[in-house]
Amino acid sequence: MSDPFDARKARASAWFRDLRDQIVAAFEALEDSQIEGPFAGLPAGRFEVTETKRASDDGSDAGGGLMSVMRGGRVFEKVGVNVSTVYGQLGAQAQKAMAARGVPGMEQDPRFWASGISLVAHMQNPHTPAVHMNTRMFWTPHAWWFGGGSDLNPCIEYDEDTAHFHAVQKAHLDPHGPGLYPDLKAWADEYFFIPHRGRARGVGGIFMDDRNSGDWDADFALTQDIGRAFLPAFLPVTEKRRNMPWTEADKDAQLIHRGLYAEYNLVYDRGTKFGLATGHDANAVLMSLPPLAKWV
């Protein structure tokens, strides 16, 4: 007997793949644009695409996805855009984590299905901000939910860039309810905070997790609009900053800020912890780490 959620799973998985294709095309087009300064002589970057597999304990099919990574481009020093659809049974550690979050029925039936897109971009020019985006759907026999968001991570902050990024997010969220943007902005401010440093890792954005209003279609539409907001929020900022002159002090500030980003992703990020705990391809899970970083 087929799962009544099968059609919904297929819709969500197809959407994440389509969003991935849009973003990859837009980023490669940006690499083809006019570049000035020390990176102008580099060839335009292109994504290298690798299939990923989730490792199951018994060797059975457990899903996988695509890892798309561009390195050493003219605009992007390293950017990864990953999609995956994985399934199987959660191990004891993951079951415990899910139960702690209030997911029911983990002891009785630890099956799961998860699909999503995850993106992290680290830029060549220190004036161009790093960025993160992900959206995902998670299902168990007893529960389902959506999660994700995006946040901007500049090492050199510009108020107008922050205002633009947030304004686009708000415009995409407002049709889903006037109180949603303030709530998801506050959630991002809390989630992307680094306690051991006493500061945020960037200038925020939007974030949600465990989203289940009881209306799957409404929650899926919201998740799609979070994804649709990404390119119009990020591309204009990148286009504005990619050709700005920079100094070695600027580059040093960028490397130090990347160290902050790495600390957060390795210590606190839920997606990193879940991916490693459930046996997904480690290179894909750790795609978010910068190519170079520095600590003082």
Side-chain angles (χ1 to χ4, degrees), residues 175-190:
H176 299 274
L180 195 57
Y181 167 75
D183 288 346
L184 268 59
K185 178 184 181 299
W187 201 337
D189 290 342
E190 179 180 355

Side-chain angles (χ1 to χ4, degrees), residues 80-97:
V81 187
N82 291 354
V83 287
S84 65
T85 298
V86 296
Y87 40 84
Q89 293 201 3
L90 292 171
Q93 180 182 354
Q95 289 179 42
K96 184 178 180 180

Side-chain angles (χ1 to χ4, degrees), residues 20-65:
R20 173 263 177 208
D21 293 346
Q22 294 176 43
I23 292 171
V24 164
F27 281 6
E28 289 190 345
L30 192 59
E31 281 287 315
D32 291 332
S33 63
Q34 182 176 352
I35 302 297
E36 301 171 3
F39 306 117
L42 296 175
R46 289 294 180 266
F47 282 94
E48 298 178 3
V49 181
T50 306
E51 289 190 9
T52 63
K53 296 291 183 182
R54 175 178 174 264
S56 62
D57 293 336
D58 60 4
S60 61
D61 179 23

Side-chain angles (χ1 to χ4, degrees), residues 131-264:
V131 72
H132 155 263
M133 185 276 293
N134 79 81
T135 57
R136 58 189 178 273
M137 175 189 162
F138 200 97
W139 171 95
T140 75
H142 302 280
W144 58 264
W145 63 89
F146 290 94
S150 60
D151 65 300
L152 201 65
N153 297 272
C155 69
I156 301 171
E157 296 182 15
Y158 293 92
D159 289 343
E160 62 266 36
D161 294 353
T162 302
H164 169 81
F165 190 81
H166 281 273
V168 174
Q169 309 284 353
K170 183 177 185 299
H172 281 75
L173 292 187
D174 280 351
H176 299 274
L180 195 57
Y181 167 75
D183 288 346
L184 268 59
K185 178 184 181 299
W187 201 337
D189 290 342
E190 179 180 355
Y191 182 71
F192 296 115
F193 186 81
I194 306 174
H196 68 269
R197 295 294 187 184
R199 57 157 294 178
R201 76 175 190 185
V203 295
I206 54 175
F207 181 77
M208 67 177 186
D209 212 348
D210 304 333
R211 174 78 181 188
N212 181 336
S213 69
D215 186 335
W216 187 91
D217 289 300
D219 291 346
F220 181 44
L222 168 62
T223 303
Q224 289 175 296
D225 276 341
I226 290 174
R228 292 187 183 105
F230 173 71
L231 286 175
F234 177 65
L235 286 183
V237 172
T238 304
E239 290 165 348
K240 182 191 300 183
R241 304 295 175 194
R242 70 182 189 272
N243 287 325
M244 288 183 64
W246 50 271
T247 66
E248 288 303 317
D250 295 334
K251 198 66 176 176
D252 197 57
Q254 182 189 50
L255 294 178
I256 292 171
H257 191 270
R258 285 178 177 177
L260 190 75
Y261 194 94
E263 288 178 16
Y264 176 86

Side-chain angles (χ1 to χ4, degrees), residues 1-18:
M1 181 181 297
S2 64
D3 184 334
F5 248 83
D6 281 351
R8 290 175 172 176
K9 293 175 183 175
R11 284 177 61 194
S13 182
W15 160 251
F16 298 135
R17 174 60 187 266
D18 183 65

